[in-house]
Amino acid sequence: MELSEATEHQLIQDAAPLVVPRSEHTLSRSQVSSQALKVLYGLKDAGYEAYLVGGCVRDLLLGHKPKDFDVATDASPEQVNRLFRKSRLIGRRFKLVHVGFGRDVIEVATFRAPPEATQHIDEQGKIVQDNVFGTLEQDAWRRDFTINALYYNIRDFSIIDYTGGIADLQAGKIRLIGDVETRYREDPVRMLRAIRFVGKLNLKLDENTAYHLPRLAKLLVNIPAARLFDECLKLYLTGNAVPTHNLLVQYGIFDLLFPKSGNILKMEPEGLAVKLLNRALENTDKRIEESKPVTPAFLFAAILWGPVAREWQQNQDHNISAIPALQQAAINVISRQVQRVAIPKRFTLVTKDIWIMQIRLNMRQGKRGYRLLSHPKFRAAYDFLLLRVDSGEPYEELAEWWTAFQFSTEDEQQKMVAALAPDKQKKRRRKRKPSVTKVAENKV
Ligand code: ATP
Ligand code: MG
């Protein structure tokens, strides 16, 4: 007997859940934050069901440290809100309760039912309303991946698995729950999440979950740019930027998020800008591993450098001088990019600074070098210059000069600046053209 995919899915859905008793799994209460435990017990003692769910259960079973703890319950958001003094209702499309403990927050979600086809889904298949409450079982089926739909029951410490998440964890597979195309259409951000989890957990995408990615990637253009910005930070600034970026490129998703950069990547896959981006992503991962800060402004400076450098060159070819040519290129590239990924202005301003300072780093005479050194974005601009050198741009000398200048005594610094100036003066005297004052500005 050959069952259709839908029937097979129905049969799986109708099956009883797998319940893994405490003695047969490794998740222990000692790994759960005391705040999350307070919320779980608070709900349980008030007579509600309460489970840990999502990334925290998945990560603990895989032996990773969870980023945060999410709780699911049959209590309504209002009931949860009444139960915990320091809690507040948030979200509209998706109502939740945040229970606060100082700076920490435990997110509590009420079980959701599947979206009703007629009312809550738009013509592309996207969910526009998601506030119909349901049972634990319904809640499990509407989650994204099987490994994200495991529930840790505070009543008996068992793990409840409706969708085959335990088997997939054991097999190292990331599998979308249900019909893959429908689920991607309901929320195209699931495509980004699939890739993020591969990069983060080093698991494999299930064949079918991967198969639909390149074809459906274009649905991401319908996602609000602000949500895509949030997702980009999770993709690129959580310590796995290199593998994640490679997957985004491989599945044609990078192209959709960063169309101009994607073009450069296709036209000049071995080019300097691509090398620079790869180096930047390696550094980003390394910095996160060393608990050093990373900034979105620097990340976007690296991602968008290819298109900016290209447009800068084109502007100069049209006889615009270096600084305005770069400024124009920066404004153009950023204003187009933010339509797709809404990078907030507080970051794009710094991104532009980093680029413009690439020219100013070459203007070191007189007091300029000192002034640059005290510029708040000097360090980022200098790091960016090092990246450019690393990727093969011919500015070793300039970079070495700045490296030395930063760590020199005042006396040494004066000598370094003086060593720059005489050549210029001699040249001027020789040429008897004292009016020439512009030096090297156009040579970055
Ligand atoms: P992490 O927090 O480590 O990035 P996570 O899986 O916990 O990963 P969250 O964004 O915190 O991700 O979401 C918590 C849970 O909510 C998920 O594990 C999943 O069960 C569910 N979820 C999140 N986003 C979606 C979505 N777009 N569609 C369906 N379910 C989702
Ligand atoms: Mg989470």
Side-chain angles (χ1 to χ4, degrees), residues 5 30 32 65 105 128 141 179 181 192 198 216 235 269 272 277 280 291 306 341 351 359 362 369 402:
E5 208 180 305
S30 63
V32 180
K65 193 173 177 312
V105 163
V128 284
W141 289 104
D179 176 67
E181 175 158 358
L192 300 181
V198 176
L216 298 177
L235 288 162
L272 294 180
L277 175 55
S291 305
V341 176
T351 300
I359 299 182
N362 214 19
W402 278 109

PDB file of all heavy atoms in Angstrom, residues 5 30 32 65 105 128 141 179 181 192 198 216 235 269 272 277 280 291 306 341 351 359 362 369 402:
ATOM      1  N   GLU A   5       1.526  11.570   0.705  1.00  0.00           N
ATOM      2  CA  GLU A   5       2.290  12.327   1.709  1.00  0.00           C
ATOM      3  C   GLU A   5       1.356  12.883   2.788  1.00  0.00           C
ATOM      4  O   GLU A   5       1.639  12.837   3.979  1.00  0.00           O
ATOM      5  CB  GLU A   5       3.035  13.473   1.028  1.00  0.00           C
ATOM      6  CG  GLU A   5       4.308  13.854   1.764  1.00  0.00           C
ATOM      7  CD  GLU A   5       5.020  14.992   1.053  1.00  0.00           C
ATOM      8  OE1 GLU A   5       5.303  14.852  -0.161  1.00  0.00           O
ATOM      9  OE2 GLU A   5       5.261  16.007   1.706  1.00  0.00           O
ATOM     10  N   SER A  30      19.150  21.147  37.037  1.00  0.00           N
ATOM     11  CA  SER A  30      20.288  21.994  37.425  1.00  0.00           C
ATOM     12  C   SER A  30      20.794  22.816  36.236  1.00  0.00           C
ATOM     13  O   SER A  30      21.509  23.790  36.413  1.00  0.00           O
ATOM     14  CB  SER A  30      21.414  21.126  37.977  1.00  0.00           C
ATOM     15  OG  SER A  30      21.855  20.263  36.945  1.00  0.00           O
ATOM     16  N   VAL A  32      18.750  24.310  34.194  1.00  0.00           N
ATOM     17  CA  VAL A  32      17.707  25.294  33.860  1.00  0.00           C
ATOM     18  C   VAL A  32      17.851  26.505  34.779  1.00  0.00           C
ATOM     19  O   VAL A  32      18.107  26.349  35.976  1.00  0.00           O
ATOM     20  CB  VAL A  32      16.303  24.656  34.046  1.00  0.00           C
ATOM     21  CG1 VAL A  32      15.204  25.650  33.717  1.00  0.00           C
ATOM     22  CG2 VAL A  32      16.186  23.406  33.176  1.00  0.00           C
ATOM     23  N   LYS A  65      24.874  25.389  25.679  1.00  0.00           N
ATOM     24  CA  LYS A  65      24.271  26.279  26.676  1.00  0.00           C
ATOM     25  C   LYS A  65      23.156  27.063  25.986  1.00  0.00           C
ATOM     26  O   LYS A  65      23.412  27.720  24.970  1.00  0.00           O
ATOM     27  CB  LYS A  65      25.357  27.247  27.170  1.00  0.00           C
ATOM     28  CG  LYS A  65      24.978  28.003  28.405  1.00  0.00           C
ATOM     29  CD  LYS A  65      26.205  28.799  28.880  1.00  0.00           C
ATOM     30  CE  LYS A  65      25.946  29.673  30.076  1.00  0.00           C
ATOM     31  NZ  LYS A  65      24.815  30.511  30.070  1.00  0.00           N
ATOM     32  N   VAL A 105      14.578  38.043  31.206  1.00  0.00           N
ATOM     33  CA  VAL A 105      13.154  37.905  30.898  1.00  0.00           C
ATOM     34  C   VAL A 105      12.884  36.448  30.541  1.00  0.00           C
ATOM     35  O   VAL A 105      13.659  35.814  29.823  1.00  0.00           O
ATOM     36  CB  VAL A 105      12.791  38.809  29.697  1.00  0.00           C
ATOM     37  CG1 VAL A 105      11.473  38.388  29.088  1.00  0.00           C
ATOM     38  CG2 VAL A 105      12.717  40.270  30.125  1.00  0.00           C
ATOM     39  N   VAL A 128      -0.916  35.880   8.892  1.00  0.00           N
ATOM     40  CA  VAL A 128      -0.983  37.287   9.269  1.00  0.00           C
ATOM     41  C   VAL A 128      -1.539  37.474  10.677  1.00  0.00           C
ATOM     42  O   VAL A 128      -1.461  38.536  11.256  1.00  0.00           O
ATOM     43  CB  VAL A 128      -1.811  38.112   8.250  1.00  0.00           C
ATOM     44  CG1 VAL A 128      -1.011  38.346   6.991  1.00  0.00           C
ATOM     45  CG2 VAL A 128      -3.126  37.429   7.918  1.00  0.00           C
ATOM     46  N   TRP A 141       2.610  20.994  16.661  1.00  0.00           N
ATOM     47  CA  TRP A 141       2.578  20.891  15.198  1.00  0.00           C
ATOM     48  C   TRP A 141       2.749  22.234  14.491  1.00  0.00           C
ATOM     49  O   TRP A 141       3.092  22.275  13.323  1.00  0.00           O
ATOM     50  CB  TRP A 141       1.286  20.194  14.741  1.00  0.00           C
ATOM     51  CG  TRP A 141       1.322  18.741  15.083  1.00  0.00           C
ATOM     52  CD1 TRP A 141       0.656  18.129  16.097  1.00  0.00           C
ATOM     53  CD2 TRP A 141       2.106  17.720  14.446  1.00  0.00           C
ATOM     54  NE1 TRP A 141       0.963  16.796  16.146  1.00  0.00           N
ATOM     55  CE2 TRP A 141       1.855  16.512  15.140  1.00  0.00           C
ATOM     56  CE3 TRP A 141       3.004  17.702  13.375  1.00  0.00           C
ATOM     57  CZ2 TRP A 141       2.452  15.311  14.796  1.00  0.00           C
ATOM     58  CZ3 TRP A 141       3.602  16.494  13.026  1.00  0.00           C
ATOM     59  CH2 TRP A 141       3.324  15.330  13.730  1.00  0.00           C
ATOM     60  N   ASP A 179       4.155  19.949   5.752  1.00  0.00           N
ATOM     61  CA  ASP A 179       4.464  20.123   4.336  1.00  0.00           C
ATOM     62  C   ASP A 179       5.416  21.307   4.162  1.00  0.00           C
ATOM     63  O   ASP A 179       5.089  22.442   4.510  1.00  0.00           O
ATOM     64  CB  ASP A 179       3.175  20.357   3.547  1.00  0.00           C
ATOM     65  CG  ASP A 179       3.476  20.627   2.091  1.00  0.00           C
ATOM     66  OD1 ASP A 179       3.961  19.705   1.405  1.00  0.00           O
ATOM     67  OD2 ASP A 179       3.296  21.780   1.653  1.00  0.00           O
ATOM     68  N   GLU A 181       6.738  23.170   1.729  1.00  0.00           N
ATOM     69  CA  GLU A 181       6.417  24.398   0.995  1.00  0.00           C
ATOM     70  C   GLU A 181       5.379  25.250   1.748  1.00  0.00           C
ATOM     71  O   GLU A 181       5.532  26.455   1.884  1.00  0.00           O
ATOM     72  CB  GLU A 181       5.922  24.063  -0.419  1.00  0.00           C
ATOM     73  CG  GLU A 181       5.476  25.320  -1.151  1.00  0.00           C
ATOM     74  CD  GLU A 181       5.480  25.181  -2.658  1.00  0.00           C
ATOM     75  OE1 GLU A 181       5.867  24.127  -3.181  1.00  0.00           O
ATOM     76  OE2 GLU A 181       5.075  26.170  -3.313  1.00  0.00           O
ATOM     77  N   LEU A 192      15.404  31.300   6.850  1.00  0.00           N
ATOM     78  CA  LEU A 192      16.598  31.850   7.501  1.00  0.00           C
ATOM     79  C   LEU A 192      16.899  31.079   8.783  1.00  0.00           C
ATOM     80  O   LEU A 192      18.059  30.831   9.119  1.00  0.00           O
ATOM     81  CB  LEU A 192      16.390  33.333   7.838  1.00  0.00           C
ATOM     82  CG  LEU A 192      16.109  34.255   6.663  1.00  0.00           C
ATOM     83  CD1 LEU A 192      15.957  35.694   7.158  1.00  0.00           C
ATOM     84  CD2 LEU A 192      17.234  34.185   5.645  1.00  0.00           C
ATOM     85  N   VAL A 198      21.551  25.283  11.118  1.00  0.00           N
ATOM     86  CA  VAL A 198      22.630  24.450  10.567  1.00  0.00           C
ATOM     87  C   VAL A 198      23.967  25.056  10.970  1.00  0.00           C
ATOM     88  O   VAL A 198      24.865  24.357  11.455  1.00  0.00           O
ATOM     89  CB  VAL A 198      22.551  24.366   9.021  1.00  0.00           C
ATOM     90  CG1 VAL A 198      23.745  23.585   8.477  1.00  0.00           C
ATOM     91  CG2 VAL A 198      21.262  23.705   8.588  1.00  0.00           C
ATOM     92  N   LEU A 216      12.051  28.982  -3.079  1.00  0.00           N
ATOM     93  CA  LEU A 216      11.133  29.821  -2.299  1.00  0.00           C
ATOM     94  C   LEU A 216      11.830  31.033  -1.665  1.00  0.00           C
ATOM     95  O   LEU A 216      11.184  31.887  -1.061  1.00  0.00           O
ATOM     96  CB  LEU A 216      10.447  28.991  -1.214  1.00  0.00           C
ATOM     97  CG  LEU A 216       9.572  27.847  -1.740  1.00  0.00           C
ATOM     98  CD1 LEU A 216       8.999  27.038  -0.584  1.00  0.00           C
ATOM     99  CD2 LEU A 216       8.427  28.390  -2.616  1.00  0.00           C
ATOM    100  N   LEU A 235      21.952  35.820  12.303  1.00  0.00           N
ATOM    101  CA  LEU A 235      22.705  34.996  11.353  1.00  0.00           C
ATOM    102  C   LEU A 235      24.205  35.293  11.427  1.00  0.00           C
ATOM    103  O   LEU A 235      25.039  34.394  11.365  1.00  0.00           O
ATOM    104  CB  LEU A 235      22.215  35.261   9.922  1.00  0.00           C
ATOM    105  CG  LEU A 235      20.836  34.701   9.565  1.00  0.00           C
ATOM    106  CD1 LEU A 235      20.285  35.376   8.313  1.00  0.00           C
ATOM    107  CD2 LEU A 235      20.906  33.190   9.371  1.00  0.00           C
ATOM    108  N   PRO A 269      33.976  36.367  -7.906  1.00  0.00           N
ATOM    109  CA  PRO A 269      34.009  35.497  -6.720  1.00  0.00           C
ATOM    110  C   PRO A 269      35.384  35.441  -6.042  1.00  0.00           C
ATOM    111  O   PRO A 269      35.466  35.135  -4.863  1.00  0.00           O
ATOM    112  CB  PRO A 269      33.597  34.127  -7.261  1.00  0.00           C
ATOM    113  CG  PRO A 269      33.736  34.210  -8.734  1.00  0.00           C
ATOM    114  CD  PRO A 269      33.618  35.637  -9.134  1.00  0.00           C
ATOM    115  N   LEU A 272      38.732  41.150  -4.450  1.00  0.00           N
ATOM    116  CA  LEU A 272      39.195  41.657  -3.160  1.00  0.00           C
ATOM    117  C   LEU A 272      38.043  41.823  -2.171  1.00  0.00           C
ATOM    118  O   LEU A 272      38.177  41.528  -0.988  1.00  0.00           O
ATOM    119  CB  LEU A 272      39.893  43.014  -3.353  1.00  0.00           C
ATOM    120  CG  LEU A 272      41.200  42.988  -4.146  1.00  0.00           C
ATOM    121  CD1 LEU A 272      41.774  44.398  -4.261  1.00  0.00           C
ATOM    122  CD2 LEU A 272      42.202  42.059  -3.477  1.00  0.00           C
ATOM    123  N   LEU A 277      35.237  40.368   2.822  1.00  0.00           N
ATOM    124  CA  LEU A 277      34.057  39.929   3.578  1.00  0.00           C
ATOM    125  C   LEU A 277      34.353  38.625   4.320  1.00  0.00           C
ATOM    126  O   LEU A 277      34.032  38.487   5.502  1.00  0.00           O
ATOM    127  CB  LEU A 277      32.853  39.771   2.635  1.00  0.00           C
ATOM    128  CG  LEU A 277      31.586  39.201   3.267  1.00  0.00           C
ATOM    129  CD1 LEU A 277      31.159  40.023   4.482  1.00  0.00           C
ATOM    130  CD2 LEU A 277      30.440  39.165   2.255  1.00  0.00           C
ATOM    131  N   ALA A 280      36.451  39.338   7.268  1.00  0.00           N
ATOM    132  CA  ALA A 280      35.677  40.034   8.296  1.00  0.00           C
ATOM    133  C   ALA A 280      34.823  39.036   9.080  1.00  0.00           C
ATOM    134  O   ALA A 280      34.714  39.120  10.305  1.00  0.00           O
ATOM    135  CB  ALA A 280      34.783  41.101   7.658  1.00  0.00           C
ATOM    136  N   SER A 291      34.828  36.591  23.482  1.00  0.00           N
ATOM    137  CA  SER A 291      33.941  37.517  24.223  1.00  0.00           C
ATOM    138  C   SER A 291      34.280  38.984  23.994  1.00  0.00           C
ATOM    139  O   SER A 291      34.106  39.820  24.884  1.00  0.00           O
ATOM    140  CB  SER A 291      33.967  37.231  25.724  1.00  0.00           C
ATOM    141  OG  SER A 291      33.646  35.918  25.968  1.00  0.00           O
ATOM    142  N   GLY A 306      31.960  45.787  -1.216  1.00  0.00           N
ATOM    143  CA  GLY A 306      32.073  45.461  -2.648  1.00  0.00           C
ATOM    144  C   GLY A 306      31.324  46.465  -3.514  1.00  0.00           C
ATOM    145  O   GLY A 306      31.927  47.161  -4.343  1.00  0.00           O
ATOM    146  N   VAL A 341      16.836  45.295   4.022  1.00  0.00           N
ATOM    147  CA  VAL A 341      17.192  44.986   5.415  1.00  0.00           C
ATOM    148  C   VAL A 341      17.328  46.324   6.140  1.00  0.00           C
ATOM    149  O   VAL A 341      18.241  47.097   5.853  1.00  0.00           O
ATOM    150  CB  VAL A 341      18.539  44.217   5.475  1.00  0.00           C
ATOM    151  CG1 VAL A 341      18.963  43.992   6.921  1.00  0.00           C
ATOM    152  CG2 VAL A 341      18.446  42.884   4.731  1.00  0.00           C
ATOM    153  N   THR A 351      28.812  53.024   9.728  1.00  0.00           N
ATOM    154  CA  THR A 351      29.295  52.306   8.541  1.00  0.00           C
ATOM    155  C   THR A 351      29.898  53.308   7.565  1.00  0.00           C
ATOM    156  O   THR A 351      31.013  53.108   7.048  1.00  0.00           O
ATOM    157  CB  THR A 351      28.115  51.554   7.862  1.00  0.00           C
ATOM    158  OG1 THR A 351      27.573  50.630   8.807  1.00  0.00           O
ATOM    159  CG2 THR A 351      28.563  50.815   6.633  1.00  0.00           C
ATOM    160  N   ILE A 359      39.733  57.136   3.404  1.00  0.00           N
ATOM    161  CA  ILE A 359      40.445  58.196   2.691  1.00  0.00           C
ATOM    162  C   ILE A 359      41.234  59.042   3.682  1.00  0.00           C
ATOM    163  O   ILE A 359      42.408  59.331   3.490  1.00  0.00           O
ATOM    164  CB  ILE A 359      39.458  59.107   1.921  1.00  0.00           C
ATOM    165  CG1 ILE A 359      38.683  58.293   0.894  1.00  0.00           C
ATOM    166  CG2 ILE A 359      40.207  60.256   1.249  1.00  0.00           C
ATOM    167  CD1 ILE A 359      37.711  59.108   0.060  1.00  0.00           C
ATOM    168  N   ASN A 362      44.688  58.322   5.020  1.00  0.00           N
ATOM    169  CA  ASN A 362      45.837  58.622   4.166  1.00  0.00           C
ATOM    170  C   ASN A 362      46.303  60.073   4.309  1.00  0.00           C
ATOM    171  O   ASN A 362      47.296  60.467   3.722  1.00  0.00           O
ATOM    172  CB  ASN A 362      45.447  58.344   2.713  1.00  0.00           C
ATOM    173  CG  ASN A 362      46.616  57.817   1.932  1.00  0.00           C
ATOM    174  OD1 ASN A 362      47.587  57.345   2.516  1.00  0.00           O
ATOM    175  ND2 ASN A 362      46.534  57.918   0.617  1.00  0.00           N
ATOM    176  N   GLY A 369      46.827  63.555  11.668  1.00  0.00           N
ATOM    177  CA  GLY A 369      47.030  62.208  12.209  1.00  0.00           C
ATOM    178  C   GLY A 369      46.540  62.119  13.644  1.00  0.00           C
ATOM    179  O   GLY A 369      45.831  61.184  14.024  1.00  0.00           O
ATOM    180  N   TRP A 402      50.122  53.341  10.770  1.00  0.00           N
ATOM    181  CA  TRP A 402      49.110  53.582  11.803  1.00  0.00           C
ATOM    182  C   TRP A 402      49.292  52.657  13.000  1.00  0.00           C
ATOM    183  O   TRP A 402      49.063  53.044  14.140  1.00  0.00           O
ATOM    184  CB  TRP A 402      47.701  53.428  11.223  1.00  0.00           C
ATOM    185  CG  TRP A 402      47.247  54.679  10.519  1.00  0.00           C
ATOM    186  CD1 TRP A 402      47.082  54.864   9.184  1.00  0.00           C
ATOM    187  CD2 TRP A 402      46.920  55.934  11.138  1.00  0.00           C
ATOM    188  NE1 TRP A 402      46.675  56.143   8.917  1.00  0.00           N
ATOM    189  CE2 TRP A 402      46.567  56.829  10.110  1.00  0.00           C
ATOM    190  CE3 TRP A 402      46.898  56.394  12.456  1.00  0.00           C
ATOM    191  CZ2 TRP A 402      46.186  58.147  10.350  1.00  0.00           C
ATOM    192  CZ3 TRP A 402      46.519  57.704  12.710  1.00  0.00           C
ATOM    193  CH2 TRP A 402      46.173  58.568  11.651  1.00  0.00           C
TER     194      TRP A 402
END
